[in-house]
Amino acid sequence: MIKYPFNIENNKKDNLKTSSISYKNRGLSLETMLNDSNKYYLFIDKAIIYKKPTPIHIVKTNKENKITEAFFEKPSTSDYNGLYKGKYIDFEAKETKSKTSFNLKNINSKQLKHLYKVDEMGGISFIIVYFTALNDIFFYSTKNLKEYISKSKRNSIPIDEFIKKGRKIEISLYPILDYLVFIDELL
Amino acid sequence: MIKYPFNIENNKKDNLKTSSISYKNRGLSLETMLNDSNKYYLFIDKAIIYKKPTPIHIVKTNKENKITEAFFEKPSTSDYNGLYKGKYIDFEAKETKSKTSFNLKNINSKQLKHLYKVDEMGGISFIIVYFTALNDIFFYSTKNLKEYISKSKRNSIPIDEFIKKGRKIEISLYPILDYLVFIDELL
């Protein structure tokens, strides 16, 4: 009957949840946690969200159609997009080693423009920032990002701003990062 | 004042429209026409739709972070997705040399499942099929696709079905393929 690791009895699920603190020391990357969460959302028919493949410029392929020369391109959109409650969802996920702030250089100008445009055109856009040294992960809407950038002269966002205006995503199970709850607040 | 080729006076635009038939002989690929149309939609703030990069599995990179060995992966989602009128849009674009039908083998089972799921979860999904030998391009919704596949035992869709249930996309200018008009009918 059990076809998928997620598909366990509630009882067992709750037991596992109490041990979720162990995740904190596993050193999982934000990408791994988000991909896993998105797989879970897809499995329970909650949302269809995928990480976009990295754009690559292919220079040469051989006879077997194997790529022998290529290079990475700078992305002009964000990392993740998809569908939730009929709405278009779009976000960028970033990790920082800093304990005090998130440097805006981590988001290139094309990506920022893209997030703004999605927000202006009725989509839901945001960023997720993981302060790895603190084990803190924040959901921060494009509206907040826009407001902060327009008001502040700094090229980084202090962690206090994320605490005040963003929402902390607690590491859990099923899914590991339940970031869609914060979208419910925006709808 | 004129910053972009699209940004011309209506007058000139209409003149250009009358010569749009010349496009038919240029042999533009469906991908080229769609990318150009999406650029136009983006420019006039109508929609944000991008072709997803081809998923590639990277085996080796050199010291300069250049890819020296990689191979193409089978896509598990469709080619294009994005935002229109706040809605999530998702579609697959295919060309066929056939003059009579579109072989369903052109859409892999994962992609088909993905299109179905988007439709079921409140997104707008469809396929665009280009019969290159006929110069005919059709918009065909996932609802129609689903109905056809469930009723028919054939592994191809005859062109008559596209004529009857789909919508013909006329080649024009600004944009070359104005496929969003058919989404307006679905909303």
Side-chain angles (χ1 to χ4, degrees):
Chain A
M1 294 295 281
I2 298 165
K3 284 182 181 172
Y4 204 73
F6 300 136
N7 205 4
I8 54 170
E9 330 80 85
N10 281 331
N11 195 4
K12 207 170 167 185
K13 205 165 166 178
D14 286 341
N15 285 341
L16 278 168
K17 261 190 181 163
T18 58
S19 67
S20 69
I21 200 157
S22 65
Y23 263 93
K24 293 197 180 179
N25 300 316
R26 281 197 204 169
L28 294 173
S29 71
L30 181 57
E31 182 178 330
T32 301
M33 290 189 281
L34 285 170
N35 288 346
D36 197 82
S37 302
N38 291 337
K39 254 187 212 168
Y40 177 77
Y41 286 142
L42 188 69
F43 181 73
I44 63 164
D45 281 336
K46 187 163 179 161
I48 307 174
I49 297 165
Y50 284 99
K51 185 178 191 294
K52 283 183 218 169
T54 310
I56 284 161
H57 181 85
I58 296 158
V59 182
K60 271 183 205 162
T61 55
N62 68 11
K63 283 176 189 169
E64 290 89 38
N65 208 25
K66 203 164 131 179
I67 300 154
T68 54
E69 195 184 337
F71 53 85
F72 294 99
E73 284 183 311
K74 212 172 166 180
S76 54
T77 62
S78 56
D79 278 350
Y80 296 84
N81 76 354
L83 166 69
Y84 176 54
K85 293 188 175 174
K87 288 274 179 185
Y88 176 76
I89 305 297
D90 198 305
F91 66 100
E92 189 57 40
K94 294 290 181 191
E95 290 189 0
T96 178
K97 284 174 187 167
S98 165
K99 290 182 179 180
T100 54
S101 66
F102 173 68
N103 197 319
L104 285 166
K105 277 181 193 162
N106 284 302
I107 303 175
N108 78 49
S109 61
K110 275 190 178 179
Q111 290 180 316
L112 195 65
K113 206 179 149 190
H114 173 76
L115 290 171
Y116 281 16
K117 200 151 187 165
V118 168
D119 180 64
E120 284 155 17
M121 287 177 63
I124 311 283
S125 75
F126 53 93
I127 59 171
I128 290 178
V129 177
Y130 182 17
F131 289 83
T132 54
L134 305 169
N135 255 312
D136 281 342
I137 305 173
F138 294 97
F139 173 100
Y140 191 68
S141 74
T142 295
K143 281 189 182 33
N144 283 328
L145 188 63
K146 214 171 173 177
E147 201 189 322
Y148 181 83
I149 290 171
S150 71
K151 282 186 186 171
S152 170
K153 297 282 176 210
R154 297 174 65 173
N155 61 359
S156 65
I157 307 174
I159 191 159
D160 286 348
E161 165 69 13
F162 289 103
I163 293 168
K164 213 174 119 191
K165 299 276 182 67
R167 300 299 304 263
K168 198 171 166 185
I169 307 174
E170 298 294 343
I171 293 174
S172 173
L173 285 173
Y174 316 110
I176 297 181
L177 302 179
D178 195 9
Y179 63 93
L180 289 180
V181 294
F182 305 120
I183 293 173
D184 290 333
E185 293 175 9
L186 297 175
L187 293 176
Chain B
M1 295 296 282
I2 298 164
K3 285 183 182 170
Y4 203 72
F6 300 137
N7 204 4
I8 55 170
E9 330 81 80
N10 281 330
N11 195 2
K12 206 169 167 186
K13 205 165 163 178
D14 287 338
N15 285 340
L16 279 168
K17 261 192 179 162
T18 58
S19 67
S20 68
I21 200 157
S22 65
Y23 263 93
K24 292 198 181 177
N25 301 315
R26 282 197 203 169
L28 293 174
S29 71
L30 181 57
E31 182 179 331
T32 300
M33 290 189 280
L34 285 170
N35 288 346
D36 196 81
S37 302
N38 291 338
K39 254 186 214 170
Y40 178 77
Y41 285 142
L42 189 68
F43 181 73
I44 62 164
D45 282 336
K46 187 164 178 159
I48 307 173
I49 296 164
Y50 284 98
K51 185 176 191 295
K52 283 183 217 168
T54 311
I56 284 161
H57 181 85
I58 296 157
V59 182
K60 272 184 205 162
T61 54
N62 68 11
K63 283 175 190 169
E64 292 88 37
N65 207 25
K66 203 165 131 178
I67 299 154
T68 54
E69 194 184 336
F71 53 85
F72 294 99
E73 283 183 312
K74 212 174 168 182
S76 55
T77 63
S78 55
D79 278 349
Y80 296 84
N81 76 353
L83 166 70
Y84 176 54
K85 292 187 175 174
K87 288 274 180 185
Y88 177 77
I89 305 297
D90 198 305
F91 65 100
E92 189 59 39
K94 295 288 180 191
E95 289 190 359
T96 178
K97 285 174 187 167
S98 166
K99 291 180 179 180
T100 53
S101 66
F102 173 68
N103 197 319
L104 285 165
K105 277 182 194 163
N106 284 302
I107 303 175
N108 79 47
S109 61
K110 274 189 177 179
Q111 290 180 315
L112 195 65
K113 206 180 148 188
H114 174 76
L115 289 171
Y116 281 15
K117 200 151 189 167
V118 168
D119 179 65
E120 285 155 15
M121 287 177 64
I124 311 284
S125 75
F126 52 93
I127 59 171
I128 291 178
V129 178
Y130 182 17
F131 289 83
T132 54
L134 305 169
N135 254 312
D136 280 343
I137 305 173
F138 294 97
F139 173 99
Y140 191 68
S141 73
T142 295
K143 281 189 181 33
N144 283 328
L145 188 63
K146 214 171 171 175
E147 199 189 323
Y148 181 83
I149 290 172
S150 71
K151 281 185 185 171
S152 170
K153 297 280 173 211
R154 297 174 64 172
N155 61 358
S156 67
I157 307 175
I159 192 158
D160 285 349
E161 165 70 11
F162 289 102
I163 293 167
K164 212 173 121 193
K165 299 275 182 66
R167 301 298 305 264
K168 198 171 166 185
I169 307 174
E170 298 294 344
I171 293 174
S172 174
L173 284 172
Y174 315 109
I176 297 180
L177 302 180
D178 195 9
Y179 62 93
L180 289 180
V181 295
F182 304 122
I183 294 173
D184 290 332
E185 293 175 8
L186 298 176
L187 291 177

